[in-house]
């Protein structure tokens, strides 16, 4: 091997070694970059996962709260319906009393509501012909027994009520219909009825 060939071989050897060093350094740098971005990718993935989980938990909590609210509204509505049904049941029981008891109740209501003893009793169409005279007699009897004026009269007209009566005197009317009396005590009795029904 002559001198030139030795120089060329030496340059080639150095060049190969330098290329290998560059290749190794580039591979190490690539690995570091890959490693760095893999960690950044993992961090981003975990961040997105945590954010997604938090969003899902918040949404689930909101849905749970809404469901609880709807459930409470439904329970309250059902309770109110049941209380209303209890008042309707009471009205039907009163309207279905045996005739003597029903007449006595209406006579007592009329006598208690009378201010002058000269008012007019207005009954429902069903009650007027059936028990009107008996109610009038009972109410005037109760007023006489109490030492009051007993001049109540029975109206020719009837009232659009299911039962009970309306006491009319001049410009004043006292609504003693069964529905009005039950409505009057609804606020006072509803909590007690609810306690009986739901406790």
């Amino acid at each position: 091997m002559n001198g030139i060939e030795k120089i060329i071989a030496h340059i080639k050897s150095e060049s190969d070694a330098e290329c290998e060093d560059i290749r190794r350094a580039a591979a190490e740098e690539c690995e570091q970059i890959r490693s760095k971005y893999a960690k950044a990718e993992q961090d981003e993935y975990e961040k997105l996962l945590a954010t997604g989980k938090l969003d899902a938990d918040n949404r689930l909590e909101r849905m749970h709260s809404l469901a609880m609210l709807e459930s409470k509204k439904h329970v309250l509505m059902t309770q109110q319906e049941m209380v209303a049904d209890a008042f309707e049941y009471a009205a039907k029981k009163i309207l279905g009393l045996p005739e003597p008891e029903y007449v006595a109740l209406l006579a007592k209501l009329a006598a208690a509501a009378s201010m002058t003893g000269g008012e007019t009793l207005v009954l429902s169409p069903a009650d007027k012909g059936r028990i009107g005279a008996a109610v009038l007699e009972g109410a005037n009897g109760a007023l006489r027994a109490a030492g009051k004026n007993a001049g109540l009269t029975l109206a020719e007209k009837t009232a659009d009520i299911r039962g009970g009566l309306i006491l009319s005197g001049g410009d004043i009317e006292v609504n003693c219909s069964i529905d009005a009396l039950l409505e009057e005590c609804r606020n006072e009795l509803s909590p007690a009825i609810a306690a009986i029904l739901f406790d």
Side-chain angles (χ1 to χ4, degrees):
M1 198 184 248
N2 61 27
I4 292 181
E5 288 175 351
K6 282 184 182 179
I7 292 172
I8 291 173
H10 179 67
I11 292 173
K12 185 175 184 311
S13 171
E14 281 183 2
S15 172
D16 287 346
E18 196 174 323
C19 282
E20 186 56 36
D21 288 345
I22 291 171
R23 206 177 355 261
R24 191 174 22 259
E28 285 175 9
E29 191 175 342
C30 283
E31 187 55 39
Q32 286 174 354
I33 292 170
R34 208 178 352 262
S35 218
K36 176 183 167 188
Y37 281 104
K39 178 162 181 9
E41 180 183 340
Q42 183 65 28
D43 289 348
E44 185 64 20
Y45 168 76
E46 287 173 7
K47 180 181 165 189
L48 289 172
L49 193 63
T51 302
K53 185 180 181 318
L54 184 62
D55 287 348
D57 289 346
N58 289 341
R59 187 168 178 214
L60 185 63
E61 183 62 34
R62 282 194 305 273
M63 288 171 69
H64 178 72
S65 296
L66 283 172
M68 290 299 291
L69 185 62
E70 283 301 312
S71 173
K72 285 178 184 176
K73 277 172 40 180
H74 184 68
V75 167
L76 182 61
M77 195 177 353
T78 302
Q79 287 177 342
Q80 288 171 342
E81 286 172 6
M82 290 178 74
V83 169
D85 288 347
F87 276 97
E88 181 58 25
Y89 177 77
K92 286 180 178 172
K93 288 295 275 184
I94 293 168
L95 293 169
L97 285 171
E99 192 170 293
E101 290 178 39
Y102 185 58
V103 168
L105 172 65
L106 297 192
K108 185 176 177 181
L109 286 171
S114 176
M115 303 292 280
T116 66
E119 294 94 348
T120 304
L121 301 181
V122 186
L123 299 172
S124 72
D127 289 346
K128 183 182 178 210
R130 187 171 59 91
I131 58 169
V135 172
L136 181 64
E137 184 184 328
N140 279 327
L143 288 172
R144 271 192 297 278
K148 296 180 179 178
N149 179 32
L152 296 176
T153 57
L154 193 59
E156 288 297 318
K157 65 177 183 175
T158 58
D160 185 19
I161 56 176
R162 288 195 289 175
L165 57 95
I166 294 174
L167 199 64
S168 179
D171 294 338
I172 298 172
E173 279 191 352
V174 181
N175 190 343
C176 296
S177 69
I178 301 305
D179 290 329
L181 293 172
L182 286 172
E183 191 58 41
E184 218 174 90
C185 58
R186 183 180 290 265
N187 286 343
E188 182 184 339
L189 294 180
S190 288
I193 291 170
I196 292 166
L197 290 173
F198 310 118
D199 286 347

